Amino acid sequence: MRKKRILLLSEGFGAGHTQAAYALSSSLRKLSPDVQTKVLELGSFLNPKMAPLIVSAYRKTVTSQPRLMGYVYRHQKSFNRLTTLALHRIFYTHTQNIVKQLRPDIIVCTHFIPSAVVSRLKRVDPAFKAPLVTVITDYDAHATWISPEVDRYLVSTPEVKAKLRCRSVAAAKIRVTGMPVHPSFWEHPGKEDILRQFGLQNMPTVLVMGGGWGLMNDEVVSGALAGWRDKVQLIFCLGKNEKLLRGMQENPLYRHPNISLTGFTRDIDKLMEISDLLVTKPGGMTCSEGLAKGIPMLFYDPLPGQEEENCRYFTAAGLGEPISSLQVVEGWMERLLNRYDEVQAKRQRHLEEIARFHPLQSAQSIIDMLE
């Protein structure tokens, strides 16, 4: 008997969507030895020359015209029609052949564009039988995620489920499973070994992240944090932004024994484990990884749309705080230095409260559909 095949489709518009796909892939294989998974960034796979140009243009728009992104987010219905039509006809005309070749038993989408493409294929091809699972990788549910052809939605919170219900999605199609972060974020290895691995000190530590693209464009916040380098250890993760990494390496402000500068790394789970505060843009996956680690979060410069919604959710839940002024940063630095035990105790309480978000729930929901 052949193994059940699960095809996970994402897109390269930010690193979080693909991280969610790989996290699900890992959890699915962990739960069942009879499952075979394959992760594809659909646009990059089908159009390796064109896709990087599109992603690059999107990235430039995000950084230079955030208000435009907010406008697109607010006018989701029109955007959904346009992206479905254009990307299906221009870029994804071979998707149907790929599906026929791989013969998946279930298709899982962690980005709304492949979800829309597969939905359209199911709609126009009666022979297309594979169930479609859509994993919403933010703490909001906008119209671009929704199609009648989706068989199941996996969502992070009851609030996201309620938003889908308001958009007339049947309750039977929705499962609240938490965000599918990689299982490694739920592990808590020895802190001493990690400190030795990275050559770090055992002292109050702040992890600063700009996401996979390294969109850390708030020099005021970075500079304010660096001003505490004599008393607080700082780890700046700059993703794939090599230009910013070189610039900070050449800046005397960041040349200090207590400051570590790194580019893209697959060890974020370890760095979160030994850090006491996460300063980040409020991307859905990064926030969820921070949630799994129980680490308090400060949010800077949220993009209009999903990141604003993520910021609101985590702030309302008491799991994070927006950097509304530099006084917020200063207050947290003082807290780490003078009330460290209190910060650690609160983190432990968070860890006890979030057991219900364990990532295997998402994978189990998919396996249940196979059975």
Side-chain angles (χ1 to χ4, degrees):
M1 185 176 71
R2 77 172 179 90
K3 290 187 175 183
K4 296 291 187 178
R5 298 173 180 174
I6 300 177
L7 176 60
L8 299 109
L9 300 178
S10 181
E11 278 300 356
F13 297 96
H17 303 286
T18 302
Q19 287 173 5
Y22 279 111
L24 268 174
S25 174
S26 177
S27 295
L28 286 163
R29 295 195 307 272
K30 195 171 186 177
L31 278 176
S32 175
D34 299 322
V35 164
Q36 185 178 49
T37 64
K38 188 173 186 62
V39 177
L40 292 177
E41 285 188 346
L42 192 57
S44 299
F45 180 76
L46 295 178
N47 296 275
K49 293 183 179 179
M50 180 68 72
L53 300 177
I54 298 171
V55 172
S56 178
Y58 174 80
R59 178 179 173 178
K60 289 178 181 177
T61 303
V62 165
T63 54
S64 63
Q65 301 183 57
R67 290 185 180 179
L68 176 60
M69 299 309 299
Y71 176 84
V72 170
Y73 189 85
R74 289 189 298 272
H75 294 77
Q76 299 151 353
K77 193 170 182 179
S78 299
F79 181 62
N80 192 30
R81 287 199 300 267
L82 289 172
T83 52
T84 302
L85 180 63
L87 293 171
H88 179 267
R89 292 185 179 278
I90 299 173
F91 301 113
Y92 301 152
T93 54
H94 302 298
T95 302
Q96 189 172 24
N97 292 333
I98 294 298
V99 172
K100 286 181 178 179
Q101 179 182 343
L102 296 177
R103 293 184 296 134
D105 295 284
I106 287 183
I107 299 175
V108 180
C109 294
T110 60
H111 189 280
F112 61 83
I113 290 178
S115 179
V117 170
V118 175
S119 293
R120 182 180 175 88
L121 289 176
K122 290 188 70 173
R123 189 161 58 248
V124 301
D125 183 2
F128 197 111
K129 301 298 184 183
L132 171 59
V133 178
T134 293
V135 183
I136 298 181
T137 50
D138 281 298
Y139 291 79
D140 189 26
H142 56 73
T144 53
W145 287 102
I146 300 171
S147 296
E149 290 75 23
V150 175
D151 296 284
R152 179 167 294 181
Y153 293 91
L154 303 184
V155 303
S156 53
T157 67
E159 290 84 352
V160 178
K161 178 179 178 178
K163 291 182 179 182
L164 286 177
R165 295 288 293 120
C166 288
R167 294 182 181 275
S168 301
V169 177
K173 285 188 172 186
I174 310 168
R175 299 288 186 277
V176 180
T177 57
M179 197 75 79
V181 302
H182 195 279
S184 63
F185 284 89
W186 294 84
E187 299 169 358
H188 301 286
K191 186 174 181 179
E192 294 77 12
D193 292 339
I194 300 175
L195 292 173
R196 278 196 299 271
Q197 178 183 346
F198 293 97
L200 298 170
Q201 302 297 315
N202 189 4
M203 61 187 297
T205 300
V206 178
L207 176 62
V208 188
M209 294 179 59
W213 284 348
L215 300 179
M216 196 179 300
N217 53 5
D218 197 328
E219 297 178 0
V220 175
V221 170
S222 296
L225 288 167
W228 293 85
R229 61 193 184 277
D230 290 331
K231 299 178 180 179
V232 175
Q233 185 167 237
L234 298 160
I235 306 170
F236 288 89
C237 288
L238 308 175
K240 297 179 180 179
N241 194 334
E242 296 180 2
K243 180 179 179 181
L244 179 57
L245 176 59
R246 288 194 301 270
M248 292 181 71
Q249 288 172 335
E250 295 168 0
N251 189 334
L253 180 65
Y254 302 102
R255 292 178 185 166
H256 192 278
N258 290 340
I259 293 182
S260 175
L261 303 174
T262 184
F264 179 80
T265 175
R266 299 190 185 278
D267 291 317
I268 293 298
D269 58 315
K270 296 178 181 178
L271 295 177
M272 283 189 183
E273 181 69 20
I274 55 92
S275 297
D276 303 295
L277 178 66
L278 172 62
V279 180
T280 181
K281 290 181 67 62
M285 282 307 298
T286 300
C287 290
S288 300
E289 291 164 353
L291 172 69
K293 285 295 185 183
I295 187 171
M297 293 177 273
L298 293 184
F299 306 124
Y300 67 88
D301 216 12
L303 292 172
Q306 291 100 321
E307 287 193 356
E308 286 182 337
E309 293 299 322
N310 296 339
C311 184
R312 289 191 191 102
Y313 173 78
F314 279 91
T315 300
L319 300 167
E321 181 179 356
I323 300 177
S324 54
S325 69
L326 291 182
Q327 282 70 36
V328 173
V329 174
E330 293 173 3
W332 267 95
M333 296 302 100
E334 294 285 356
R335 194 176 306 178
L336 290 179
L337 293 172
N338 301 319
R339 295 153 57 192
Y340 188 76
D341 290 344
E342 178 185 311
V343 173
Q344 290 294 93
K346 187 174 182 180
R347 182 173 185 175
Q348 187 57 42
R349 290 197 298 273
H350 282 172
L351 288 173
E352 294 168 0
E353 292 169 358
I354 62 173
R356 59 195 173 99
F357 292 116
H358 197 280
L360 293 183
Q361 292 186 49
S362 301
Q364 186 62 60
S365 181
I366 295 168
I367 288 176
D368 289 345
M369 294 180 70
L370 286 173
E371 296 173 350

